[in-house]
Amino acid sequence: MPAAPLPPDELDRLSLLDALALLDTPPEPVFDRITRLASRLLNVPMALFSLVDADRQWFKSRVGLEAEQTPREHAFCAHAIGMTRPLVVNDATQDQRFSDNPLVYGPPNIRFYAGVPIRTAAGLAIGTLCALDTKPREMSREEAEVLNDLATILTKEVHYRERLAVAREQLEQSSAVLGASEARFRSIFDVASVGIALVAPDGGWISVNAALCAIVGYSEEELWGLTFQQITHPDDIALDVGLLEELRRGARTQYQLEKRYIRKDGREVWINLNVAPKFNRAGEIEYYVSVIKDIDAEKRAQQEVAALNADLERRVAERTAALGASEARLASVIENANDAYIGLDEAGVVTAWNRQAEETFGWPREEALGRKLEELIIPKELAERHRDGMRRYLATGQATVADQRLELPAVRRDGSTLTVEVRIRALQLDGGKVFSAFLHDITERKQEEVRREYESRHDALTGLLNRRALMEALPLAQARAGRSGKTVGMLFIDLDGFKAVNDSQGHEAGDILLGVVAERLRAGVRRTDSVYRLAGDEFTVLLEDMADTFDDAHRVAEKLIKSIAEPVELPGRAVRVRASIGIALDAAGGTRQAEELLKEADHFMYQAKKAGRGRVCSARHPC
């Protein structure tokens, strides 16, 4: 009889189960009504509200069963709590997990079992609502819905008990239930204006907030029966799953993409999705944290603007090619367009300049007309290239910018710079060349892209580079070392005593301490070296251009240990922490992977901790 695997969050789950004060308590009508309904509506002789403890399952409410508890290794429910969907066993004698179970070949002679995990507000499964029969049977869709509905009612009662426990213990003692950080997380989770979800590794929803339910049109209970793949647009699944696989392999630390969900009413909705993994103590992915922003209105507006611009360009081309009676009407359209419109003759002199061009570039129409474009909006360093391009096109008919969308730098009348998306079309008119250009200011969009790229490679708390940036930078540093004949070094730094400060003075004090340590690390290395924060109180320093290898690295490490050990003034008191540092080196021309180098430095850091902390260890100088 194979034992059920322990859930990855077992310690937190048991801690919360104990804090809820449900174990070994008298029967309660609110739970007994639910198990009685389950027995009657599903026509089964046994129905249980089972709580899975460390070494037993104990029945808070039971119908048709005399025993108050059974060993955990015999419990069907121990398997059910590790699943994101209900566990249904049609015939236990035919299921290799349960065929030799004492509860199957002996009293109560279980043949049929159906159990739905009962989860806390944080998504931890504490037990199940289950229905059992002494005869094999199939469970109909209607019966499954009944069991899920009753489990939802029971879950809401458990959530109510959680809130009572948190209120009773106050925030200082809330670690017995969820932990102070978990209580703050749930508060943010529930009131956030963006969708937030905890997603199991198999794609099932563990916990979702109200904002996400509003985006997709499903209730929280309905989402529990679905995976994220089932509500993702078919055309977007491959990209999403591919990025998720890169997370699993460690090739990414998070990812962000725009994709479409299919709402319950069948309508498509565009969202911006950001996904990051949550690891357990064993370093395995426990679940994913997904942040979902509704960008449907923005995407549809972009599509409408693109359609309007395409139509406007077509109409402008028609006007320039055949002027005609509609010239006045088209001139009005151009004048009131959302994009800047500039007309040029073959000498590059401005012949048209609409209202939006005035607003975008700051030049009034009367001053712009008759001047060359390089005098108005082209940066000085690009002016000659623009003139060469005009001459080449007039001579050969070949152009690098015509009839395509380009992002180019531009300058306003006041000298400030901007980035514009440019679409230029060249036309033959009356035996000569004319040019029509639409320009859209995309400065804010480009700045936002730069900001997002910065945030994806930097730690939000300290401003240091993050793990993703390290994994990108290390191969480049190794290549430079190969060319120069120098050595690359890695320092893995872990603070000694940080947890005690964090626990005794709070996370705010811990954050201040990490910020001070980050500044000391920056100040303690050369300009050619880089400092990274991996997670928590773990940092790395990438050393480049090293000649004396281990001795150089040890000197830097000892300097950093001394700097970190200086007292830090926190609100109310000064504290002192130390650091343990491990060193790994990669000689010039080395072929070691980034993860290998990091792993070796991590290994020697742990050797430093075992040897008494506050010291440096490496292959050359073991502790």
Side-chain angles (χ1 to χ4, degrees):
M1 179 181 65
L6 291 178
D9 49 19
E10 178 68 0
L11 294 178
D12 293 337
R13 193 188 69 79
L14 291 174
S15 175
L16 182 52
L17 176 60
D18 182 66
L20 287 173
L22 290 174
L23 289 169
D24 302 308
T25 57
E28 295 182 54
V30 65
F31 298 122
D32 290 342
R33 280 194 293 269
I34 294 174
T35 51
R36 284 198 302 270
L37 280 171
S39 175
R40 292 172 186 169
L41 295 175
L42 300 176
N43 193 26
V44 293
M46 294 171 282
L48 310 169
F49 174 26
S50 169
L51 299 171
V52 181
D53 202 359
D55 56 0
R56 60 171 178 159
Q57 69 168 344
W58 183 80
F59 306 122
K60 175 61 179 175
S61 178
R62 63 190 190 279
V63 172
L65 190 66
E66 290 297 324
E68 293 184 346
Q69 62 184 32
T70 70
R72 178 168 176 172
E73 60 266 25
H74 298 166
F76 285 52
C77 299
H79 292 265
I81 63 170
M83 303 175 67
T84 58
R85 297 183 178 87
L87 171 62
V88 178
V89 180
N90 297 320
D91 186 352
T93 63
Q94 303 301 312
D95 192 312
Q96 63 180 3
R97 293 172 295 181
F98 309 110
S99 57
D100 59 346
N101 191 309
L103 302 179
V104 175
Y105 64 74
N109 299 303
I110 297 171
R111 295 293 181 270
F112 170 81
Y113 171 92
V116 179
I118 303 301
R119 298 185 183 276
T120 66
L124 302 174
I126 60 170
T128 71
L129 173 64
C130 57
L132 307 96
D133 202 341
T134 56
K135 299 177 295 185
R137 59 183 288 179
E138 298 285 337
M139 192 174 198
S140 69
R141 180 178 177 181
E142 290 74 19
E143 290 173 330
E145 290 176 349
V146 167
L147 187 60
N148 275 315
D149 289 343
L150 293 175
T152 298
I153 296 171
L154 202 158
T155 298
K156 291 185 181 298
E157 179 63 23
V158 169
H159 291 183
Y160 173 69
R161 301 297 179 93
E162 280 186 80
R163 290 192 292 272
L164 286 181
V166 173
R168 182 173 60 248
E169 296 296 331
Q170 301 297 324
L171 184 60
E172 302 83 60
Q173 300 170 1
S174 65
S175 60
V177 181
L178 292 173
S181 63
E182 178 65 16
R184 288 198 297 273
F185 168 75
R186 286 307 309 177
S187 175
I188 296 171
F189 189 96
D190 290 335
V191 304
S193 60
V194 296
I196 305 176
L198 307 183
V199 182
D202 64 359
W205 306 95
I206 295 174
S207 188
V208 299
N209 71 349
L212 176 57
C213 292
I215 291 171
V216 298
Y218 288 97
S219 67
E220 181 177 1
E221 293 79 11
E222 290 172 328
L223 281 176
W224 285 349
L226 301 169
T227 64
F228 79 84
Q229 294 95 330
Q230 289 174 290
I231 68 168
T232 296
H233 192 283
D235 294 344
D236 299 339
I237 289 177
L239 175 59
D240 200 356
V241 172
L243 291 171
L244 196 64
E245 182 58 30
E246 292 185 23
L247 276 189
R248 292 194 182 106
R249 298 198 314 265
R252 289 177 176 269
T253 57
Q254 64 174 25
Y255 71 85
Q256 177 177 304
L257 80 156
E258 293 181 355
K259 71 170 191 174
R260 291 160 290 180
Y261 279 148
I262 304 297
R263 287 173 46 87
K264 182 181 179 181
D265 59 11
R267 182 169 62 84
E268 297 177 10
V269 58
W270 278 96
I271 58 103
N272 184 291
L273 173 67
N274 189 291
V275 179
K278 168 66 170 62
F279 296 92
N280 59 24
R281 292 182 176 87
E284 302 166 335
I285 294 179
E286 183 177 349
Y287 54 82
Y288 299 98
V289 179
S290 298
V291 179
I292 301 99
K293 181 181 179 183
D294 185 347
I295 60 169
D296 193 68
E298 176 184 340
K299 291 291 289 187
R300 296 189 187 281
Q302 289 175 0
Q303 292 168 355
E304 291 173 2
V305 169
L308 286 173
N309 282 340
D311 181 63
L312 184 57
E313 290 181 43
R314 178 185 59 79
R315 295 166 69 184
V316 170
E318 293 173 354
R319 167 194 179 274
T320 310
L323 296 176
S326 61
E327 182 175 357
R329 184 173 71 251
L330 291 177
S332 176
V333 171
I334 292 172
E335 180 61 20
N336 295 284
N338 290 327
D339 287 354
Y341 173 75
I342 301 174
L344 301 173
D345 64 18
E346 62 182 16
V349 174
V350 173
T351 59
W353 187 270
N354 73 348
R355 176 186 52 80
Q356 188 59 50
E358 291 183 321
E359 294 184 8
T360 300
F361 300 108
W363 288 93
R365 187 199 322 268
E366 56 272 17
E367 294 187 34
L369 294 177
R371 303 182 71 165
K372 291 198 172 184
L373 195 62
E374 60 266 33
E375 300 175 23
L376 301 171
I377 68 170
I378 296 178
K380 291 181 179 179
E381 62 273 18
L382 299 179
E384 189 58 37
R385 185 188 302 178
H386 166 73
R387 287 189 288 266
D388 288 343
M390 290 286 291
R391 286 192 292 266
R392 182 172 58 253
Y393 179 76
L394 293 173
T396 66
Q398 297 178 353
T400 58
V401 299
D403 298 317
Q404 58 181 305
R405 293 176 183 267
L406 299 171
E407 294 180 2
L408 298 173
V411 63
R412 298 185 182 91
R413 184 183 187 186
D414 62 8
S416 60
T417 59
L418 69 160
T419 304
V420 292
E421 183 181 75
V422 182
R423 302 177 303 283
I424 300 177
R425 179 162 296 173
L427 298 166
Q428 190 77 27
L429 184 65
D430 296 333
K433 299 283 188 179
V434 295
F435 301 90
S436 295
F438 283 91
L439 305 94
H440 183 71
D441 185 356
I442 59 170
T443 305
E444 290 187 7
R445 189 181 83 193
K446 300 300 290 184
Q447 290 173 344
E448 177 65 14
E449 291 174 359
V450 170
R451 184 188 66 80
R452 287 181 180 176
E453 175 62 19
Y454 177 87
E455 291 178 350
S456 73
R457 301 179 71 256
H458 288 77
D459 173 52
L461 175 63
T462 63
L464 295 177
L465 292 163
N466 61 16
R467 186 186 185 93
R468 173 189 171 187
L470 174 62
M471 294 299 101
E472 293 173 352
L474 189 50
L476 300 177
Q478 290 171 309
R480 287 192 292 270
R483 293 190 296 268
S484 65
K486 297 297 180 69
T487 297
V488 172
M490 174 76 72
L491 308 185
F492 196 112
I493 304 166
D494 189 90
L495 301 184
D496 302 325
F498 172 76
K499 186 176 185 300
V501 175
N502 210 42
D503 291 345
S504 63
Q505 299 197 51
H507 294 296
E508 291 78 9
D511 289 349
I512 294 173
L513 177 57
L514 291 174
V516 172
V517 169
E519 288 302 318
R520 291 178 179 178
L521 291 174
R522 282 195 190 97
V525 299
R526 302 165 302 172
R527 288 190 176 184
T528 56
D529 304 328
S530 306
V531 183
Y532 304 81
R533 183 188 178 203
L534 298 185
D537 58 346
E538 293 180 343
F539 300 84
T540 59
V541 175
L542 180 60
L543 302 173
E544 293 195 56
D545 199 28
M546 296 172 56
D548 201 14
T549 61
F550 279 103
D551 290 338
D552 268 1
H554 272 266
R555 279 193 292 271
V556 174
E558 294 289 356
K559 177 182 177 183
L560 295 179
I561 283 180
K562 182 177 180 181
S563 173
I564 292 170
E566 292 293 324
V568 177
E569 291 293 336
L570 297 179
R573 60 174 290 192
V575 300
R576 186 192 301 269
V577 295
R578 295 186 300 169
S580 296
I581 301 180
I583 298 175
L585 299 184
D586 190 40
T591 59
R592 302 177 66 186
Q593 296 295 316
E595 288 290 353
E596 293 180 60
L597 201 61
L598 189 62
K599 186 175 181 180
E600 180 181 330
D602 185 27
H603 165 76
F604 284 112
M605 181 275 292
Y606 276 107
Q607 295 301 314
K609 282 188 175 291
K610 289 180 182 179
R613 303 174 184 265
R615 62 189 64 202
V616 183
C617 286
S618 69
R620 175 75 63 81
H621 302 286
C623 293

